[in-house]
Amino acid sequence: MFDSIRVRLTVWHLAILAVLQALLCVCIYDYISFHLNQQVNGILGNVLTSVDQALGKPEVWNADPQVHAANALKLVKHTETPIAIYDATGNLMAERPSGAAHITHLVERPLTGTYVGTESENLQEHLGARRVAVRFSVQPRASAGYFIAASTSLFSRVDELRTARIAFLIRVPFMLVLTGLSGWILTGRSLTPAVLMAERARSIGADNMSERLTVLHPYDELGRLALALNELLDRLAAASVSERQFMADAAHELRTPLSIAQTATTVTLMNTDGTFEEYRSALQAIDNYLQRLSRSVNDVFRLARADAGFKSLHVEDLYLDEVVFDAVKAARMLATHKNITIGISTMESCPYRGDEALLHEMMLNLLENSIKYTRPCGNVTVKLMNNANAYEISITDTGIGISEVDRDRIFQRFYRGGPATMLAPQKVEGTGLGLSIAQWIATSHLGTLELTSSGQHGSTFVVRLPCNGDGATT
Ligand SMILES: Nc1ncnc2c1ncn2[C@@H]1O[C@H](COP(=O)(O)OP(=O)(O)OP(=O)(O)O)[C@@H](O)[C@H]1O
Ligand SMILES: [Mg+2]
């Protein structure tokens, strides 16, 4: 039962309210009790003062203490309060009404000795709850003073306190029941979106990834949670789409050379009268396609491993200028048949920590593109410099450029730009993975790879690698 947030919230709510209500009741009860006490003490105090003053008046004076006391009582107005006057040894001198001494004598303290001020005692027996107050009155003319005792019933005080207790006993449980009910209903209403979200989330799977959680109130906590979960679903759906796309593209890329190689093999095998040269050239073609296939498989495998988070970097101390120089040297061999010149301007001794083989491959992919997409007799320029605590390698070509539409997509896997597939003077071979791999290498060294400019007169790609990059992120 306590697994439900609704039950837990209601119980907590009730428990806190019960404690607060109990504290409040105790405070109010104490206050009422104190206030009534003050009232009773005030009444008794007034009576005692009146009697004390009456005893001091000259017109009531009599040498006989009984007459003196009786005369004084006649002047006191508080007729509803029983009063008794005793001499200093505790003998009754006068009382009003008759029998008042019976009440006032119930004071446990013996009326002997001299004490000044008001003494009060609560009496719960015999006559019901009463309070008696006693004061010693010093009278200069009398040989000794008097004890004055007055008593008042506590019935109304007790009654008021009982009424307060009954009110609390009825009010508190009633309030608790009401609060419990309202808490139960309110938490139920507040948690409804969470229940709906859970039901909807349970129904979303791979087949209906486009469905989203219902957002009832977008600005409250649950609404924000639903929005965050919807964003998560968006990202998962996008990842799933790109994964499917990747699989489809990879299958397509692998199937084409495979089926061509298979057809070439079948045709060659059927040609039983072929010459040595014919067989050789058929094998050559099959070898070409198999090489292309092998390269594609390697690239796909590498990207898949990178996606799965494999740490495939072999980080070591190296000189970036040497890596760039080696890559340019290798690229020059590719460029000779198109008569493209590759110029290089690098800083000397650029120490760096990274994976030399991967950095070489990144440079080669970029240089290979520059050669592939530049017309014969063009130029490619490679620059390495240090800018704002990062190495910047720019590769600029005088090639065919990249259209506006393609610029955002060339880093996507298997994407091949328009000119690469149709507009180039001769069809340019490739799988569309070179830039994806180059970008992955740059980011795995905590760097970036961007196309910074492109137009009719060529393109510039820039790699930025932080100088202290340790390149060990994937
Ligand atoms: N220097 C460049 N000049 C013009 N277009 C380019 C350049 N570099 C890349 N591109 C465009 O970007 C696309 C993607 O390049 P990417 O290197 O990923 O694939 P690819 O070169 O077609 O194939 P491969 O996988 O063999 O490298 C290319 O098809 C081409 O359209
Ligand atoms: Mg390429």
Side-chain angles (χ1 to χ4, degrees):
M1 184 170 99
F2 283 93
D3 290 345
S4 151
I5 294 182
R6 192 180 185 185
V7 174
R8 281 206 302 267
L9 275 180
T10 312
V11 169
W12 271 109
H13 194 189
L14 271 179
I16 292 171
L17 197 86
V19 171
L20 287 179
Q21 284 279 332
L23 280 176
L24 192 73
C25 289
V26 168
C27 290
I28 294 176
Y29 189 82
D30 267 5
Y31 177 76
I32 295 174
S33 166
F34 174 78
H35 186 68
L36 293 174
N37 237 354
Q38 294 286 93
Q39 254 183 2
V40 171
N41 287 346
I43 292 168
L44 288 176
N46 284 344
V47 172
L48 295 179
T49 308
S50 302
V51 178
D52 191 21
Q53 285 169 354
L55 280 169
K57 286 191 177 157
E59 63 266 30
V60 301
W61 166 249
N62 194 298
D64 182 349
Q66 285 191 336
V67 179
H68 180 205
N71 287 346
L73 269 187
K74 279 182 201 148
L75 289 186
V76 177
K77 283 185 184 146
H78 306 274
T79 48
E80 74 287 355
T81 312
I83 304 167
I85 301 175
Y86 305 87
D87 66 9
T89 53
N91 298 316
L92 181 65
M93 295 292 109
E95 62 177 344
R96 191 191 72 190
S98 124
H102 175 62
I103 300 167
T104 51
H105 250 130
L106 291 170
V107 176
E108 283 164 16
R109 182 185 290 279
L111 294 177
T112 50
T114 306
Y115 58 96
V116 188
T118 304
E119 295 285 321
S120 299
E121 302 284 343
N122 271 327
L123 304 168
Q124 303 290 338
E125 308 159 13
H126 309 298
L127 299 161
R130 294 192 75 80
R131 177 165 297 171
V132 177
V134 181
R135 186 184 291 177
F136 187 73
S137 163
V138 183
Q139 293 302 327
R141 284 198 235 177
S143 53
Y146 299 96
F147 281 110
I148 313 163
S151 163
T152 186
S153 165
L154 293 177
F155 178 76
S156 66
R157 176 177 172 271
V158 171
D159 198 41
E160 277 186 52
L161 286 177
R162 192 190 309 119
T163 311
R165 276 200 305 274
I166 291 171
F168 292 151
L169 283 177
I170 295 173
R171 221 182 73 121
V172 171
F174 182 68
M175 288 272 297
L176 287 179
V177 170
L178 258 186
T179 316
L181 262 177
S182 57
W184 179 257
I185 293 168
L186 277 178
T187 43
R189 281 179 68 94
S190 324
L191 290 173
T192 305
V195 176
L196 291 177
M197 272 196 291
E199 276 168 14
R200 177 57 77 88
R202 228 173 268 132
S203 71
I204 297 176
D207 309 333
N208 55 347
M209 277 292 259
S210 57
E211 284 194 22
R212 293 292 173 265
L213 305 180
T214 323
V215 184
L216 293 180
H217 309 289
Y219 299 109
D220 68 13
E221 288 80 355
L222 287 177
R224 289 207 295 273
L225 174 68
L227 286 175
L229 288 175
N230 279 346
E231 283 166 22
L232 175 71
L233 284 174
D234 286 346
R235 290 197 293 277
L236 288 178
S240 159
V241 167
S242 77
E243 197 176 317
R244 285 182 198 179
Q245 185 66 42
F246 180 66
M247 295 286 287
D249 290 343
H252 179 261
E253 267 320 305
L254 301 181
R255 200 183 54 200
T256 311
L258 200 63
S259 62
I260 293 173
Q262 200 178 21
T263 314
T265 314
T266 314
V267 170
T268 311
L269 285 176
M270 280 166 56
N271 181 12
T272 47
D273 305 328
T275 62
F276 176 77
E277 280 309 314
E278 280 171 344
Y279 286 131
R280 189 182 166 77
S281 84
L283 276 175
Q284 188 70 56
I286 292 166
D287 184 50
N288 279 347
Y289 282 112
L290 286 181
Q291 270 183 30
R292 187 175 147 191
L293 188 68
S294 156
R295 192 182 151 190
S296 297
V297 168
N298 274 341
D299 288 350
V300 169
F301 180 65
R302 185 127 43 116
L303 285 171
R305 272 172 69 87
D307 285 351
F310 281 95
K311 295 195 179 210
S312 45
L313 295 189
H314 301 289
V315 180
E316 57 189 323
D317 288 321
L318 51 89
Y319 285 96
L320 205 55
D321 51 307
E322 286 177 8
V323 177
V324 172
F325 190 77
D326 285 351
V328 168
K329 212 162 102 183
R332 274 182 182 144
M333 287 195 260
L334 294 174
T336 41
H337 73 279
K338 283 179 84 177
N339 208 11
I340 290 174
T341 49
I342 305 181
I344 177 166
S345 115
T346 84
M347 295 163 47
E348 279 187 9
S349 299
C350 300
Y352 186 70
R353 270 182 71 72
D355 186 318
E356 187 168 355
L358 287 183
L359 290 169
H360 182 88
E361 184 181 343
M362 176 186 74
M363 285 305 301
L364 216 53
N365 279 2
L366 294 170
L367 286 165
E368 195 190 28
N369 279 353
S370 293
I371 297 164
K372 268 203 292 193
Y373 304 114
T374 297
R375 291 186 188 87
C377 304
N379 288 311
V380 176
T381 312
V382 179
K383 281 187 189 153
L384 166 62
M385 54 212 149
N386 192 326
N387 191 355
N389 213 24
Y391 290 119
E392 249 181 39
I393 309 165
S394 66
I395 298 107
T396 306
D397 60 46
T398 54
I400 56 174
I402 300 167
S403 71
E404 293 269 352
V405 190
D406 287 342
R407 275 176 214 171
D408 293 334
R409 307 185 60 190
I410 49 172
F411 292 101
Q412 288 172 12
R413 291 163 188 191
F414 295 109
Y415 185 79
R416 307 207 66 218
T421 47
M422 326 171 239
L423 299 180
Q426 67 271 358
K427 192 172 177 325
V428 186
E429 293 232 326
T431 53
L433 286 176
L435 281 180
S436 308
I437 290 174
Q439 195 176 47
W440 164 69
I441 295 172
T443 49
S444 63
H445 283 79
L446 305 179
T448 53
L449 164 61
E450 286 170 356
L451 171 69
T452 53
S453 69
S454 190
Q456 287 175 346
H457 303 295
S459 318
T460 300
F461 284 86
V462 174
V463 182
R464 270 179 70 83
L465 298 171
C467 287
N468 304 323
D470 196 10
T473 54
T474 53

